[in-house]
Amino acid sequence: MAVMSYRQALHDTLRAEMLRDPDVFLMGEEIGRFEGSYKITAGLLDEFGPKRVRDTPIAEEGFTGAAVGAAMLGLRPVVEIMTINFSLLALDQIVNHAAKIYGMFGGQRSVPMVIRTPGGGGQQLAATHSQNVELFYAFTPGLKVVAPSSPADAKALLIASIRDNDPVLFLENLALYNTKGEVPDGDEPAEIGRAAVTREGTDITLVAYSRMAHVALQVAEKLAADEGISAEVVDLRSLRPLDRPTIIESVKKTSCAVVLEDDWLTYGIGAEVAASISDGAFDYLDAPVRRVAMAEVPLPYAKPLELAALPSANDVVTVVHQTLDAVGRRSVGAH
Amino acid sequence: MATTSRKRPARSAKNAEELLGYYRQMLLVRRFEERTAQAYTEAKIGGYCHLNLGEEATVVGLMAAIEERDYLFTNYRDHGYALIRGMDPGRVMAELYGRQDGVSKGWGGSMHLFDTDVRQLGGYGIVGGQLPLAAGAALAVSYRDGDEVVMCQMGDGTTNIGAFHETLNIATLWDLPIVFVVVNNRLGMGTTVEMSSAEPELYKRASSYRMESARVDGNDVIAVRDAAKVAVERAREEQRPYLLETVSGRLRGHSVVDPAAYRSKEEVDEVRAQDPVAGLHDRLVADGAATAEGLAEIDADVHRIVKAAVEFAEKSPAPEVSSLFDYTYASPVPNDSRRLPADPLFPVGA
Ligand SMILES: Cc1ncc(C[n+]2csc(CCOP(=O)(O)OP(=O)(O)O)c2C)c(N)n1
Ligand SMILES: [Mg+2]
């Protein structure tokens, strides 16, 4: 067990997997000589050389598709797309090709590749550079989408993603790179498709992933400390497959839920979670499932506007209060 | 960037035999495609269905230039390539029929023929989609210091899409053993090359990527083969990409359902006058390499193969609905949603 940053966990895991398996190699813009826009790949070009740390031209469709083709021949490319916004230029290769090749050709060749890419607003990068479009990929059967929120999960899910035989979109987050946490030694992979209950509670379930799973934990601690409210936190970790049973089990216990998401509300991940709760725990629900999500605007640059548009811990507290008040349960915990 | 000129017919016995072999292959494509069109109008085949009619010399010449160990990626106009590359005609027809014995088990259809055994790694329905994939396959070959070559076929219209330019750039930068083949049938769907390409001499586009290229008569099977061999050799021996443009015609509409009303009679007559199958037939007879009767026998033989393919497809069962979730993921993971439309997410009342 060592304490390290999310960034360090990613870096060390990439390195360890490259040492373990010569078929694992990295591709992306500015990952070698420049050491990565967010320095995840720092030092790896020097250690592994340009064959295994391949700087690409600014051609997301071209190099992402090349990774798909290399994976079809059995290599295990790990592609870095500088931010998830730019993955839209590779949408055709990800959605129309990587996701389809195993099924559309009757299971003859799989596509064992990983696309690492950070999402995240809040850095004053304005509308085109602050989106969370993981939904597009989570919507697509044939892809797997994971979204670790802690350094430990970053490591365990990256190992799992690299060793998996399907295309995995590995969602990082700009705001998480410097966060720290305990990371186990060894190389135990996580199981893709399993959520984690990162905090147990009895009054309300908070469902979240990536950065918002952090916010959920902070809010839960604050609610416990200030008001004696016991919130359970379900960190999805995997957006496709979605671990519905873990969500349902939690809601059966708490009878109400709030979903936190960094993307837009309408048609978003939270909508799917809420619908799943309605399907699997309707009889247990004491209140409607509420969602805390980004304001539905292209994210503005000016700080006060950006802050207003992004979901915050305070927003979550407000919605938790509203939810518990609606069923007269806030007093339960408030003593 | 030479334009390969039409060669004089081969006179030696060996060459005559070779030409007869190509004739048989071209005829197989011709008869298979004609039969496919018929099956389509009988509603045995669904979806979009694009034929290689008019491209037989190109298909056969290209396939003669690559070896078993090489890889092939094509667009959706892929039946002919599959047949000549060595896929079983019955299994190709079964795929068009959407049957269990189809090369892609009925999951791909006409546009998505794939057979890992003959290293034809797809048929792709998205224009340009196969280019980055093929470059990636070539990257894998070079990563492993292999001696295979990747051939990546596309249409003329494909040279205008971003993936074409991104991939050609990457191929040169990374010294990939890949041959891009632009099958110029002078039409996208109904849009001509002149309408859509600022540089209508398509092979010249390669020069922006410092890639060697050539244009060849796509109606001449030997010329195509020889030009493609040069390209393949460059890729294999020197690890350098190459772009070959073949120029031929399209005898029918863009797909089976397209009456091609946008074409003038003169245009169609011109394409018909250059019909590569009829052309080779006449050339073989004129050269004394074969008699009309001998060629008719080949035709009868090919008809039998096509007939058997259709019978195989007719008999092959439809895929079991129970196999619907078998190919979503190669590595199974928990909580993968496997519900049919009327199934609940969770057991009701549980
Ligand atoms: C990205 C994309 N855009 C449009 C289409 C629709 N479409 C299918 S075939 C075609 C024409 C392609 O022409 P060309 O590349 O010359 O190939 P050909 O059909 O002549 O073999 C078009 C526009 C498509 N399949 N994919
Ligand atoms: Mg064309």
Side-chain angles (χ1 to χ4, degrees):
Chain A
M1 210 57 107
V3 172
M4 68 175 75
S5 68
Y6 190 99
R7 168 184 288 109
Q8 189 74 37
L10 291 173
H11 169 276
D12 291 2
T13 305
L14 285 176
R15 179 171 177 272
E17 288 297 296
M18 289 176 78
L19 287 170
R20 183 188 62 81
D21 182 352
D23 283 344
V24 175
F25 71 103
L26 313 183
M27 289 169 78
E29 291 162 14
E30 311 289 356
I31 64 165
R33 198 165 120 96
F34 192 77
E35 303 198 303
S37 291
Y38 300 101
K39 307 299 171 202
I40 308 299
T41 53
L44 297 181
L45 174 63
D46 283 345
E47 182 171 359
F48 293 98
K51 175 179 159 184
R52 299 188 66 197
V53 181
R54 187 173 287 270
D55 275 317
T56 68
I58 308 163
E60 281 79 8
E61 182 178 12
F63 72 74
T64 303
V68 180
M72 288 172 77
L73 262 65
L75 295 182
R76 294 188 175 269
V78 181
V79 172
E80 176 173 307
I81 295 185
M82 207 177 273
T83 79
I84 199 167
N85 304 283
F86 314 141
S87 78
L88 299 182
L89 286 99
L91 209 48
D92 175 56
Q93 284 299 323
I94 302 171
V95 174
N96 282 333
H97 294 88
K100 304 297 188 281
I101 280 163
Y102 184 66
M104 192 168 72
F105 301 124
Q108 294 184 74
R109 295 247 176 173
S110 63
V111 180
M113 70 180 287
V114 180
I115 298 171
R116 293 180 35 245
T117 188
Q123 324 277 322
Q124 279 198 285
L125 296 171
T128 63
H129 282 55
S130 308
Q131 301 171 93
N132 292 294
V133 293
E134 56 274 15
L135 172 67
F136 299 174
Y137 307 109
F139 178 62
T140 307
L143 298 177
K144 292 169 181 169
V145 180
V146 298
S149 68
S150 68
D153 275 356
K155 172 177 177 175
L157 281 168
L158 186 55
I159 295 171
S161 302
I162 290 172
R163 298 182 190 176
D164 195 278
N165 287 326
D166 295 303
V168 181
L169 187 112
F170 186 94
L171 181 71
E172 302 170 5
N173 190 290
L174 299 182
L176 291 180
Y177 282 140
N178 289 332
T179 57
K180 290 203 164 131
E182 287 203 333
V183 175
D185 301 331
D187 67 342
E188 193 61 37
E191 204 173 9
I192 295 174
R194 293 248 193 251
V197 175
T198 51
R199 185 182 194 283
E200 303 227 6
T202 51
D203 294 333
I204 190 164
T205 298
L206 304 179
V207 184
Y209 65 93
S210 195
R211 181 183 81 89
M212 292 309 280
H214 252 264
V215 174
L217 280 176
Q218 287 163 7
V219 168
E221 294 305 331
K222 187 172 154 43
L223 288 170
D226 296 357
E227 311 176 44
I229 294 172
S230 165
E232 176 146 308
V233 176
V234 175
D235 181 348
L236 293 176
R237 295 158 94 227
S238 172
L239 302 180
R240 177 173 282 273
L242 178 63
D243 183 354
R244 294 185 172 98
T246 296
I247 302 167
I248 298 306
E249 278 318 301
S250 176
V251 174
K252 281 183 176 174
K253 192 166 74 175
T254 62
S255 299
C256 52
V258 174
V259 190
L260 288 59
E261 56 192 323
D262 246 345
D263 63 347
W264 293 299
L265 179 130
T266 305
Y267 307 111
I269 304 265
E272 183 52 44
V273 172
S276 298
I277 294 172
S278 154
D279 245 311
F282 183 76
D283 290 341
Y284 295 81
L285 276 179
D286 287 342
V289 178
R290 296 281 308 278
R291 290 166 286 164
V292 180
M294 212 164 102
E296 304 211 19
V297 292
L299 200 67
Y301 164 76
K303 199 66 196 169
L305 294 179
E306 185 187 46
L307 279 175
L310 289 171
S312 69
N314 281 342
D315 296 329
V316 180
V317 171
T318 302
V319 173
V320 167
H321 285 165
Q322 288 168 353
T323 301
L324 293 177
D325 286 347
V327 291
R329 279 177 48 194
R330 186 135 63 116
S331 55
V332 173
H335 42 189
Chain B
M1 292 183 206
T3 301
T4 312
S5 66
R6 205 171 180 128
K7 293 234 171 73
R8 280 304 306 150
R11 300 225 175 253
S12 75
K14 179 180 164 287
N15 287 353
E17 205 165 298
E18 199 173 63
L19 259 188
L20 272 175
Y22 294 151
Y23 180 72
R24 173 185 287 272
Q25 291 187 329
M26 287 165 58
L27 209 53
L28 175 61
V29 177
R30 173 64 53 94
R31 299 302 178 223
F32 187 95
E33 294 293 57
E34 288 169 348
R35 188 64 185 80
T36 295
Q38 183 194 328
Y40 192 93
T41 50
E42 291 164 357
K44 304 270 189 185
I45 296 172
Y48 294 150
C49 188
H50 313 82
L51 308 176
N52 288 119
L53 294 172
E55 298 175 353
E56 293 86 348
T58 299
V59 170
V60 170
L62 291 174
M63 294 305 92
I66 55 174
E67 300 175 12
E68 253 178 46
R69 60 184 153 162
D70 297 329
Y71 293 96
L72 176 67
F73 290 75
T74 72
N75 70 0
Y76 44 83
R77 202 179 291 284
D78 55 354
H79 309 168
Y81 298 93
L83 294 171
I84 306 309
R85 187 72 184 141
M87 288 191 210
D88 175 69
R91 293 193 60 208
V92 174
M93 191 59 90
E95 187 60 38
L96 307 190
Y97 272 59
R99 300 299 170 88
Q100 190 178 287
D101 297 298
V103 287
S104 304
K105 302 196 182 77
W107 279 75
S110 160
M111 300 194 285
H112 306 113
L113 300 175
F114 190 111
D115 186 349
T116 202
D117 290 343
V118 301
R119 299 198 164 188
Q120 184 166 338
L121 300 189
Y124 292 86
I126 303 288
V127 165
Q130 74 275 27
L131 273 86
L133 301 175
L139 175 63
V141 167
S142 123
Y143 190 93
R144 291 172 166 149
D145 296 320
D147 58 5
E148 306 94 325
V149 166
V150 177
M151 181 174 275
C152 178
Q153 175 270 13
M154 74 197 84
D156 43 273
T158 309
T159 62
N160 298 311
I161 209 160
F164 172 84
H165 298 277
E166 293 194 11
T167 306
L168 262 66
N169 186 50
I170 282 173
T172 300
L173 279 177
W174 295 352
D175 302 317
L176 298 182
I178 185 166
V179 175
F180 298 101
V181 181
V182 178
V183 176
N184 182 352
N185 59 13
R186 294 177 267 175
L187 289 166
M189 294 170 72
T191 306
T192 63
V193 169
E194 287 70 24
M195 286 165 72
S196 57
S197 299
E199 171 50 89
E201 292 181 58
L202 302 176
Y203 70 98
K204 291 186 175 169
R205 294 190 149 183
S207 65
S208 306
Y209 305 102
R210 293 206 171 180
M211 191 183 297
E212 211 178 328
S213 67
R215 175 182 253 196
V216 66
D217 176 1
N219 289 317
D220 183 338
V221 62
I222 298 293
V224 171
R225 181 201 61 187
D226 291 347
K229 276 191 168 169
V230 169
V232 169
E233 162 132 348
R234 201 71 90 242
R236 200 185 317 277
E237 306 306 330
E238 297 172 33
Q239 298 285 300
R240 281 172 55 201
Y242 195 102
L243 185 142
L244 178 66
E245 176 187 3
T246 65
V247 183
S248 58
R250 201 185 70 198
L251 282 168
R252 296 207 189 165
H254 168 70
S255 69
V256 178
V257 296
D258 170 25
Y262 43 82
R263 289 169 102 178
S264 68
K265 187 174 173 314
E266 293 70 40
E267 201 183 321
V268 176
D269 286 346
E270 192 205 317
V271 175
R272 289 214 179 117
Q274 293 169 359
D275 179 333
V277 177
L280 185 54
H281 177 282
D282 296 349
R283 179 172 163 187
L284 284 164
V285 174
D287 284 359
T291 61
E293 295 72 38
L295 296 183
E297 254 170 58
I298 293 180
D299 202 354
D301 225 30
V302 165
H303 267 295
R304 274 190 288 277
I305 294 171
V306 172
K307 189 159 174 276
V310 170
E311 281 165 10
F312 178 82
E314 296 272 358
K315 280 203 202 100
S316 175
E320 294 285 346
V321 171
S322 63
S323 70
L324 185 61
F325 298 107
D326 286 0
Y327 306 115
T328 320
Y329 296 114
S331 296
V333 280
N335 297 313
D336 173 21
S337 179
R338 297 188 158 211
R339 45 171 295 286
L340 288 168
D343 291 346
L345 263 182
F346 297 93
V348 180

